[in-house]
Amino acid sequence: MCNKSGDEFDMSRLAHAGMIRGYGLPADNIVTFVDNHDTGKEHDKWLVKDYAMAYAYILTHEGTPCVFYPHFYAVTQHDVDNPSLEVTSPSDLQQTIRQLIDIRRQYSSLNRIR
């Protein structure tokens, strides 16, 4: 969703998405993430547009959020099949994520970040 814009962008699809809302599992048992070691391997699965919105979502909703190391430290990711394809998160993303983590810690009744 965070790679879309205009008519393609529809946050209402998140209303009952995922393991917590879609399947009703306890939030303590769910880890939420934007990217991971699997999605980070292939360029067609990368987040390339609105990193901040993606992290704002997982850090303000149920579940235990997991921040992707390459996003936090702006490590360039290379496609496993074509190393010439690469993406690097914005240099200011770490500060944004830190602010969102602080907000979650201070104001949220959701499970705490570990």
Side-chain angles (χ1 to χ4, degrees), residues 19-92:
M19 302 298 287
I20 297 169
R21 294 184 197 152
Y23 295 94
L25 296 174
D28 294 6
N29 295 346
I30 304 298
V31 174
T32 57
F33 59 90
V34 172
D35 265 331
N36 65 36
H37 65 280
D38 288 324
T39 61
K41 292 178 187 175
E42 300 166 353
H43 75 279
D44 63 328
K45 295 177 179 69
W46 291 337
L47 176 62
V48 294
K49 278 191 176 180
D50 203 338
Y51 293 83
M53 180 175 32
Y55 281 103
Y57 185 83
I58 70 165
L59 287 163
T60 60
H61 285 76
E62 302 94 341
T64 302
C66 179
V67 176
F68 190 42
Y69 184 96
H71 290 172
F72 194 73
Y73 292 105
V75 174
T76 300
Q77 297 167 250
H78 297 273
D79 186 275
V80 69
D81 295 319
N82 184 350
S84 68
L85 297 172
E86 62 182 38
V87 66
T88 306
S89 63
S91 60
D92 62 343

